[in-house]
Amino acid sequence: MPGNRVVVYKGPGTVGVETIDYPKLELPDDVVNGLGVPKKAPHAAILKLVSTNICGSDQHMVRGRTTAPVGQSLGHEITGEVVETGEDVLFVKPGDICSVPFNIACGRCRMCNEGKTGICLNVNPARPGAAYGYVDMGGWIGGQAEYVMVPFADFNLLRFPDRDQALEKILDLTMLSDIFPTGYHGAYTAGVTTGSTVYVAGAGPVGLAAAHAAQLLGASAVIVGDMIPERLAQARSFGCETVDLRESAELADMIEQIVGEPVVDAAVDAVGFEARGHGDGAAEQPATVLNDVMTIARAGASLGIPGLYVTGDPGGVDEHAKIGQLGVRIGLGWAKSHSFTTGQCPVKKYNRQLMNLILSGKAQIAKAVNATVITLDDAPRGYAEFDGGAAKKYVIDPHRMVAA
């Protein structure tokens, strides 16, 4: 049996590619021991990775801003070809090309039955919700690899209807595992609809995905804020307005210059807990974006918060930030009757419909996020460039299956 090369966290600022055992149709020990379930997983499938992406959430771990241990496998954005299935898998078969939601879900618990697959109760004994290759998320092996095991395969896998079409559109379809549904979730839960004016904080891949999703939902103006000129240019490349947060002007004033008033109908936080204050060279202020979106969202607005916030941050700016306790102006949000939606995106709620938008040519998500293909061995370089602010979404191609 061959080995399995996988990207691992080697310490703050460093990743490497190591060889581990080829996956088996078995559950992780953390899940088995914590939940008292059988180790054998006849409901699982093994996938050969077609594409797997570097995510900003991975970057938080690699920066040393979580409690991830050295040796943590990485990668939760997975698209692959089924190569083996357990005896209880009925509806996917070897040769199928499938998208894998980053949320691992059993399909059997109360949360899964309510469509809340991001907080499945049966896949992580530590707390609701699990993901591949992520700290404190159940011990599941990461998908920045050559092969990966997917449990509860009939429930979790989204099979593409045509193999050749899927490979042709793989740079768009690879975004279905996380950032396209996550960005869409941010815009949708912010209430974006026909004619809305929208502010998206952050021009990283999730922010760009949220901006593109807002366009698909019918927004009349989408404004993206960031401090990195290349990322702002990427947002403008597909029709967004931008504000440069290095400037000293008030955000509300910059919004007014674009839409004629200092507020928007909907706002999305696609930054999360490593937010910085405004102005060139501003220091980290983790509540900045949350306070920004409350400030510039109109009264009665909804706020979508797909940006990651954690309960343990060793690099937090103070003792409160280290446990995820931030200086949020909740009184402002209360006074304006804002609604907040936080937490992992329940990918399965959106991925089939977004797949259809891609296959019909109506969604151009790879173009919006500037999908850039690298090899598995190039993963360390991809992480370093992404950390430096590259306006790219790095797509790892472990088996050279992505067309040029």
Side-chain angles (χ1 to χ4, degrees):
M1 190 67 71
N4 181 28
R5 300 177 71 234
V6 60
V7 180
V8 298
Y9 170 59
K10 304 288 284 183
T14 306
V15 302
V17 181
E18 297 183 354
T19 298
I20 61 173
D21 291 340
Y22 185 85
K24 299 178 181 179
L25 297 175
E26 295 179 350
L27 299 183
D29 289 339
D30 287 0
V31 174
V32 172
N33 297 331
L35 296 174
V37 294
K39 189 170 183 65
K40 184 180 178 182
H43 48 75
I46 294 173
L47 272 62
K48 175 183 179 180
L49 271 292
V50 175
S51 60
T52 175
N53 316 323
I54 296 175
C55 179
S57 297
D58 300 320
Q59 199 73 62
H60 292 304
M61 284 191 290
V62 173
R63 289 183 185 130
R65 297 299 299 270
T66 71
T67 56
V70 171
Q72 168 76 53
S73 63
L74 300 175
H76 55 268
E77 300 192 8
I78 301 166
T79 306
E81 176 185 1
V82 176
V83 294
E84 182 181 351
T85 59
E87 60 189 13
D88 290 349
V89 177
L90 304 178
F91 303 113
V92 293
K93 62 184 185 301
D96 288 342
I97 306 291
C98 301
S99 179
V100 184
F102 79 90
N103 325 108
I104 301 172
C106 72
R108 307 174 186 191
C109 70
R110 174 178 176 176
M111 293 298 100
C112 287
N113 281 317
E114 293 179 4
K116 300 173 183 176
T117 53
I119 44 175
C120 174
L121 302 176
N122 290 331
V123 287
N124 182 2
R127 63 173 184 264
Y132 303 90
Y134 211 85
V135 59
D136 297 331
M137 295 300 277
W140 302 87
I141 297 298
Q144 287 170 11
E146 294 175 321
Y147 298 91
V148 70
M149 187 276 288
V150 176
F152 309 107
D154 280 328
F155 182 72
N156 283 307
L157 294 178
L158 173 65
R159 184 180 66 84
F160 300 136
D162 182 272
R163 178 186 175 89
D164 291 339
Q165 184 187 32
L167 291 173
E168 180 183 345
K169 290 184 173 285
I170 197 66
L171 286 183
D172 291 291
L173 294 171
T174 192
M175 307 304 168
L176 289 173
S177 57
D178 183 353
I179 67 161
F180 196 14
T182 294
Y184 189 92
H185 180 63
Y188 181 81
T189 57
V192 178
T193 188
T194 306
S196 296
T197 56
V198 184
Y199 175 68
V200 177
V206 169
L208 296 173
H212 186 43
Q215 294 173 332
L216 293 169
L217 287 164
S220 61
V222 180
I223 306 165
V224 179
D226 205 287
M227 296 181 171
I228 300 175
E230 293 80 7
R231 290 185 170 180
L232 293 173
Q234 180 62 28
R236 290 191 295 272
S237 75
F238 61 98
C240 299
E241 302 285 349
T242 60
V243 291
D244 188 338
L245 299 176
R246 296 174 303 168
E247 297 180 7
S248 58
E250 292 291 327
L251 177 59
D253 293 337
M254 292 190 282
I255 295 287
E256 184 171 22
Q257 290 295 314
I258 296 170
V259 296
E261 56 182 348
V263 294
V264 291
D265 298 319
V268 178
D269 171 3
V271 177
F273 72 103
E274 288 194 68
R276 295 185 175 275
H278 296 179
D280 197 13
E284 186 171 311
Q285 296 178 21
T288 297
V289 175
L290 293 170
N291 291 328
D292 277 351
V293 294
M294 287 187 288
T295 299
I296 55 86
R298 63 170 173 79
S302 297
L303 309 177
I305 308 174
L308 176 67
Y309 289 88
V310 296
T311 56
D313 173 13
V317 295
D318 54 38
E319 294 306 309
H320 294 297
K322 289 179 180 179
I323 59 170
Q325 183 174 320
L326 310 181
V328 178
R329 295 183 62 198
I330 192 64
L332 174 62
W334 190 94
K336 296 176 77 172
S337 293
H338 285 159
S339 299
F340 301 78
T341 300
T342 65
Q344 290 185 32
C345 165
V347 170
K348 280 178 61 66
K349 181 175 181 179
Y350 308 107
N351 64 351
R352 187 175 300 275
Q353 296 93 323
L354 295 177
M355 174 188 74
N356 291 337
L357 281 176
I358 288 170
L359 296 179
S360 69
K362 291 182 170 61
Q364 304 290 330
I365 185 64
K367 178 182 177 182
V369 301
N370 193 17
T372 302
V373 179
I374 60 175
T375 68
L376 190 64
D377 288 320
D378 279 336
R381 174 178 63 83
Y383 270 96
E385 292 180 0
F386 187 36
D387 191 46
K392 299 176 181 179
K393 175 67 173 178
Y394 287 98
V395 176
I396 298 172
D397 178 10
H399 294 282
R400 306 297 177 105
M401 294 180 71
V402 178

